mmCIF file of all heavy atoms in Angstrom:
data_model
loop_
_atom_site.group_PDB
_atom_site.id
_atom_site.type_symbol
_atom_site.label_atom_id
_atom_site.label_comp_id
_atom_site.label_asym_id
_atom_site.label_seq_id
_atom_site.Cartn_x
_atom_site.Cartn_y
_atom_site.Cartn_z
ATOM 1 N N SER Y 1 4.285 -1.652 -11.211
ATOM 2 C CA SER Y 1 4.714 -0.365 -10.747
ATOM 3 C C SER Y 1 4.664 -0.331 -9.282
ATOM 4 O O SER Y 1 3.999 -1.243 -8.613
ATOM 5 C CB SER Y 1 3.797 0.663 -11.364
ATOM 6 O OG SER Y 1 2.537 0.682 -10.707
ATOM 7 N N THR Y 2 5.269 0.595 -8.668
ATOM 8 C CA THR Y 2 5.253 0.819 -7.217
ATOM 9 C C THR Y 2 3.794 0.890 -6.741
ATOM 10 O O THR Y 2 3.415 0.334 -5.758
ATOM 11 C CB THR Y 2 6.063 2.062 -6.828
ATOM 12 O OG1 THR Y 2 7.440 1.981 -7.403
ATOM 13 C CG2 THR Y 2 6.144 2.200 -5.380
ATOM 14 N N TYR Y 3 2.973 1.681 -7.527
ATOM 15 C CA TYR Y 3 1.586 1.861 -7.094
ATOM 16 C C TYR Y 3 0.844 0.622 -7.182
ATOM 17 O O TYR Y 3 0.054 0.251 -6.225
ATOM 18 C CB TYR Y 3 0.981 2.946 -8.053
ATOM 19 C CG TYR Y 3 1.560 4.303 -7.883
ATOM 20 C CD1 TYR Y 3 2.408 4.743 -8.839
ATOM 21 C CD2 TYR Y 3 1.253 5.086 -6.824
ATOM 22 C CE1 TYR Y 3 3.022 6.008 -8.722
ATOM 23 C CE2 TYR Y 3 1.743 6.302 -6.719
ATOM 24 C CZ TYR Y 3 2.697 6.799 -7.654
ATOM 25 O OH TYR Y 3 3.290 8.043 -7.566
ATOM 26 N N GLU Y 4 1.101 -0.214 -8.193
ATOM 27 C CA GLU Y 4 0.369 -1.479 -8.296
ATOM 28 C C GLU Y 4 0.815 -2.443 -7.201
ATOM 29 O O GLU Y 4 -0.044 -3.154 -6.613
ATOM 30 C CB GLU Y 4 0.686 -2.207 -9.664
ATOM 31 C CG GLU Y 4 0.067 -1.465 -10.816
ATOM 32 C CD GLU Y 4 0.587 -2.057 -12.163
ATOM 33 O OE1 GLU Y 4 1.780 -2.158 -12.307
ATOM 34 O OE2 GLU Y 4 -0.298 -2.209 -13.105
ATOM 35 N N LEU Y 5 2.047 -2.550 -6.839
ATOM 36 C CA LEU Y 5 2.475 -3.342 -5.737
ATOM 37 C C LEU Y 5 1.922 -2.897 -4.459
ATOM 38 O O LEU Y 5 1.349 -3.716 -3.618
ATOM 39 C CB LEU Y 5 4.063 -3.334 -5.681
ATOM 40 C CG LEU Y 5 4.790 -4.208 -6.629
ATOM 41 C CD1 LEU Y 5 6.304 -3.885 -6.595
ATOM 42 C CD2 LEU Y 5 4.588 -5.713 -6.275
ATOM 43 N N PHE Y 6 1.981 -1.658 -4.206
ATOM 44 C CA PHE Y 6 1.436 -1.076 -2.845
ATOM 45 C C PHE Y 6 -0.120 -1.437 -2.794
ATOM 46 O O PHE Y 6 -0.621 -1.860 -1.758
ATOM 47 C CB PHE Y 6 1.588 0.413 -2.803
ATOM 48 C CG PHE Y 6 1.225 0.923 -1.418
ATOM 49 C CD1 PHE Y 6 2.062 0.944 -0.336
ATOM 50 C CD2 PHE Y 6 -0.076 1.433 -1.280
ATOM 51 C CE1 PHE Y 6 1.606 1.369 0.914
ATOM 52 C CE2 PHE Y 6 -0.529 1.908 -0.056
ATOM 53 C CZ PHE Y 6 0.306 1.871 1.009
ATOM 54 N N ASN Y 7 -0.808 -1.198 -3.839
ATOM 55 C CA ASN Y 7 -2.279 -1.400 -3.848
ATOM 56 C C ASN Y 7 -2.592 -2.781 -3.633
ATOM 57 O O ASN Y 7 -3.514 -3.229 -2.969
ATOM 58 C CB ASN Y 7 -2.923 -0.777 -5.103
ATOM 59 C CG ASN Y 7 -2.895 0.694 -5.134
ATOM 60 O OD1 ASN Y 7 -2.846 1.320 -4.066
ATOM 61 N ND2 ASN Y 7 -3.046 1.263 -6.344
ATOM 62 N N ARG Y 8 -1.845 -3.741 -4.274
ATOM 63 C CA ARG Y 8 -2.099 -5.162 -4.074
ATOM 64 C C ARG Y 8 -1.858 -5.578 -2.626
ATOM 65 O O ARG Y 8 -2.507 -6.354 -2.026
ATOM 66 C CB ARG Y 8 -1.218 -5.978 -5.020
ATOM 67 C CG ARG Y 8 -1.717 -5.871 -6.491
ATOM 68 C CD ARG Y 8 -0.889 -6.655 -7.418
ATOM 69 N NE ARG Y 8 -1.220 -6.437 -8.761
ATOM 70 C CZ ARG Y 8 -1.346 -7.277 -9.674
ATOM 71 N NH1 ARG Y 8 -1.087 -8.616 -9.455
ATOM 72 N NH2 ARG Y 8 -1.777 -6.929 -10.868
ATOM 73 N N LEU Y 9 -0.792 -5.006 -2.078
ATOM 74 C CA LEU Y 9 -0.546 -5.240 -0.612
ATOM 75 C C LEU Y 9 -1.589 -4.752 0.179
ATOM 76 O O LEU Y 9 -2.048 -5.379 1.230
ATOM 77 C CB LEU Y 9 0.832 -4.730 -0.272
ATOM 78 C CG LEU Y 9 2.066 -5.490 -0.868
ATOM 79 C CD1 LEU Y 9 3.299 -4.760 -0.583
ATOM 80 C CD2 LEU Y 9 2.146 -6.902 -0.405
ATOM 81 N N ALA Y 10 -1.995 -3.478 -0.041
ATOM 82 C CA ALA Y 10 -3.039 -2.804 0.837
ATOM 83 C C ALA Y 10 -4.324 -3.606 0.742
ATOM 84 O O ALA Y 10 -5.126 -3.659 1.667
ATOM 85 C CB ALA Y 10 -3.212 -1.443 0.394
ATOM 86 N N ASP Y 11 -4.663 -4.217 -0.414
ATOM 87 C CA ASP Y 11 -5.897 -4.886 -0.645
ATOM 88 C C ASP Y 11 -5.801 -6.323 -0.092
ATOM 89 O O ASP Y 11 -6.921 -6.959 -0.040
ATOM 90 C CB ASP Y 11 -6.259 -4.914 -2.180
ATOM 91 C CG ASP Y 11 -6.701 -3.644 -2.708
ATOM 92 O OD1 ASP Y 11 -6.987 -2.693 -1.904
ATOM 93 O OD2 ASP Y 11 -6.685 -3.474 -3.932
ATOM 94 N N SER Y 12 -4.639 -6.797 0.160
ATOM 95 C CA SER Y 12 -4.535 -8.161 0.654
ATOM 96 C C SER Y 12 -4.770 -8.269 2.163
ATOM 97 O O SER Y 12 -5.159 -7.174 2.787
ATOM 98 C CB SER Y 12 -3.096 -8.732 0.334
ATOM 99 O OG SER Y 12 -2.155 -8.095 1.264
ATOM 100 N N ASN Y 13 -4.533 -9.434 2.676
ATOM 101 C CA ASN Y 13 -4.825 -9.553 4.136
ATOM 102 C C ASN Y 13 -3.483 -9.281 4.883
ATOM 103 O O ASN Y 13 -3.404 -9.729 6.008
ATOM 104 C CB ASN Y 13 -5.414 -10.890 4.501
ATOM 105 C CG ASN Y 13 -4.393 -12.084 4.040
ATOM 106 O OD1 ASN Y 13 -3.388 -11.827 3.441
ATOM 107 N ND2 ASN Y 13 -4.810 -13.236 4.343
ATOM 108 N N LEU Y 14 -2.537 -8.629 4.324
ATOM 109 C CA LEU Y 14 -1.224 -8.252 4.913
ATOM 110 C C LEU Y 14 -1.485 -7.405 6.186
ATOM 111 O O LEU Y 14 -2.230 -6.395 6.129
ATOM 112 C CB LEU Y 14 -0.326 -7.604 3.930
ATOM 113 C CG LEU Y 14 1.103 -7.218 4.551
ATOM 114 C CD1 LEU Y 14 1.894 -8.430 4.688
ATOM 115 C CD2 LEU Y 14 1.821 -6.292 3.518
ATOM 116 N N LYS Y 15 -0.944 -7.838 7.310
ATOM 117 C CA LYS Y 15 -1.142 -7.068 8.537
ATOM 118 C C LYS Y 15 -0.495 -5.723 8.346
ATOM 119 O O LYS Y 15 0.567 -5.547 7.753
ATOM 120 C CB LYS Y 15 -0.448 -7.760 9.635
ATOM 121 C CG LYS Y 15 -1.108 -9.104 10.043
ATOM 122 C CD LYS Y 15 -0.537 -9.587 11.262
ATOM 123 C CE LYS Y 15 -0.957 -10.981 11.626
ATOM 124 N NZ LYS Y 15 -2.260 -11.429 11.666
ATOM 125 N N THR Y 16 -1.169 -4.752 8.808
ATOM 126 C CA THR Y 16 -0.711 -3.337 8.602
ATOM 127 C C THR Y 16 0.607 -3.015 9.119
ATOM 128 O O THR Y 16 1.281 -2.118 8.653
ATOM 129 C CB THR Y 16 -1.762 -2.325 9.067
ATOM 130 O OG1 THR Y 16 -1.994 -2.557 10.491
ATOM 131 C CG2 THR Y 16 -3.045 -2.338 8.273
ATOM 132 N N ARG Y 17 1.018 -3.753 10.159
ATOM 133 C CA ARG Y 17 2.325 -3.440 10.698
ATOM 134 C C ARG Y 17 3.508 -3.811 9.686
ATOM 135 O O ARG Y 17 4.609 -3.351 9.926
ATOM 136 C CB ARG Y 17 2.527 -4.128 12.050
ATOM 137 C CG ARG Y 17 2.642 -5.651 11.950
ATOM 138 C CD ARG Y 17 2.820 -6.289 13.292
ATOM 139 N NE ARG Y 17 2.805 -7.678 13.102
ATOM 140 C CZ ARG Y 17 3.298 -8.527 13.969
ATOM 141 N NH1 ARG Y 17 3.859 -8.055 15.129
ATOM 142 N NH2 ARG Y 17 3.265 -9.813 13.833
ATOM 143 N N TRP Y 18 3.212 -4.638 8.775
ATOM 144 C CA TRP Y 18 4.237 -4.962 7.841
ATOM 145 C C TRP Y 18 4.203 -4.180 6.582
ATOM 146 O O TRP Y 18 5.042 -4.223 5.676
ATOM 147 C CB TRP Y 18 4.102 -6.420 7.373
ATOM 148 C CG TRP Y 18 4.334 -7.429 8.595
ATOM 149 C CD1 TRP Y 18 5.302 -7.300 9.526
ATOM 150 C CD2 TRP Y 18 3.642 -8.616 8.881
ATOM 151 N NE1 TRP Y 18 5.210 -8.294 10.361
ATOM 152 C CE2 TRP Y 18 4.284 -9.159 9.967
ATOM 153 C CE3 TRP Y 18 2.633 -9.248 8.305
ATOM 154 C CZ2 TRP Y 18 3.836 -10.282 10.587
ATOM 155 C CZ3 TRP Y 18 2.189 -10.391 8.900
ATOM 156 C CH2 TRP Y 18 2.724 -10.985 9.995
ATOM 157 N N LEU Y 19 3.112 -3.379 6.372
ATOM 158 C CA LEU Y 19 2.993 -2.531 5.211
ATOM 159 C C LEU Y 19 3.476 -1.140 5.526
ATOM 160 O O LEU Y 19 3.009 -0.377 6.258
ATOM 161 C CB LEU Y 19 1.548 -2.449 4.809
ATOM 162 C CG LEU Y 19 1.204 -1.748 3.499
ATOM 163 C CD1 LEU Y 19 1.931 -2.429 2.343
ATOM 164 C CD2 LEU Y 19 -0.307 -1.656 3.248
ATOM 165 N N PRO Y 20 4.632 -0.742 4.798
ATOM 166 C CA PRO Y 20 5.156 0.551 4.962
ATOM 167 C C PRO Y 20 4.189 1.637 4.434
ATOM 168 O O PRO Y 20 3.285 1.301 3.679
ATOM 169 C CB PRO Y 20 6.470 0.580 4.298
ATOM 170 C CG PRO Y 20 6.336 -0.506 3.261
ATOM 171 C CD PRO Y 20 5.324 -1.502 3.750
ATOM 172 N N THR Y 21 4.341 2.885 4.813
ATOM 173 C CA THR Y 21 3.566 4.005 4.141
ATOM 174 C C THR Y 21 3.814 4.017 2.650
ATOM 175 O O THR Y 21 4.848 3.681 2.222
ATOM 176 C CB THR Y 21 3.890 5.331 4.866
ATOM 177 O OG1 THR Y 21 5.237 5.657 4.506
ATOM 178 C CG2 THR Y 21 3.645 5.277 6.355
ATOM 179 N N ARG Y 22 2.894 4.624 1.997
ATOM 180 C CA ARG Y 22 2.973 4.735 0.494
ATOM 181 C C ARG Y 22 4.250 5.514 0.118
ATOM 182 O O ARG Y 22 4.980 5.177 -0.758
ATOM 183 C CB ARG Y 22 1.731 5.426 -0.030
ATOM 184 C CG ARG Y 22 1.839 5.575 -1.595
ATOM 185 C CD ARG Y 22 0.578 6.148 -2.162
ATOM 186 N NE ARG Y 22 -0.691 5.459 -1.897
ATOM 187 C CZ ARG Y 22 -1.113 4.470 -2.671
ATOM 188 N NH1 ARG Y 22 -0.450 4.122 -3.735
ATOM 189 N NH2 ARG Y 22 -2.310 3.976 -2.415
ATOM 190 N N ASN Y 23 4.615 6.572 0.902
ATOM 191 C CA ASN Y 23 5.750 7.447 0.627
ATOM 192 C C ASN Y 23 7.100 6.686 0.850
ATOM 193 O O ASN Y 23 8.151 7.040 0.328
ATOM 194 C CB ASN Y 23 5.703 8.694 1.351
ATOM 195 C CG ASN Y 23 4.610 9.608 0.919
ATOM 196 O OD1 ASN Y 23 4.122 9.520 -0.167
ATOM 197 N ND2 ASN Y 23 4.268 10.470 1.804
ATOM 198 N N SER Y 24 7.092 5.690 1.750
ATOM 199 C CA SER Y 24 8.337 4.996 2.080
ATOM 200 C C SER Y 24 8.463 3.623 1.285
ATOM 201 O O SER Y 24 9.414 2.911 1.414
ATOM 202 C CB SER Y 24 8.550 4.741 3.532
ATOM 203 O OG SER Y 24 7.529 3.821 3.993
ATOM 204 N N PHE Y 25 7.462 3.291 0.455
ATOM 205 C CA PHE Y 25 7.464 1.992 -0.171
ATOM 206 C C PHE Y 25 8.588 1.835 -1.135
ATOM 207 O O PHE Y 25 9.151 0.827 -1.200
ATOM 208 C CB PHE Y 25 6.035 1.792 -0.697
ATOM 209 C CG PHE Y 25 5.841 0.321 -1.132
ATOM 210 C CD1 PHE Y 25 5.963 -0.751 -0.250
ATOM 211 C CD2 PHE Y 25 5.488 0.016 -2.437
ATOM 212 C CE1 PHE Y 25 5.766 -2.086 -0.637
ATOM 213 C CE2 PHE Y 25 5.325 -1.345 -2.806
ATOM 214 C CZ PHE Y 25 5.411 -2.325 -1.929
#
């Protein structure tokens, strides 16, 4: 799901500049 993908990215070491906001994901 969108939520699972976002949470996996947020929990990873992905630099925050590459992670969009939850609402724009």
Side-chain angles (χ1 to χ4, degrees):
S1 73
T2 306
Y3 296 102
E4 290 170 314
L5 280 168
F6 184 87
N7 288 339
R8 287 177 190 225
L9 291 172
D11 290 343
S12 74
N13 60 358
L14 181 67
K15 293 187 189 312
T16 55
R17 69 181 176 157
W18 295 320
L19 185 60
T21 64
R22 184 179 296 274
N23 291 339
S24 68
F25 192 57

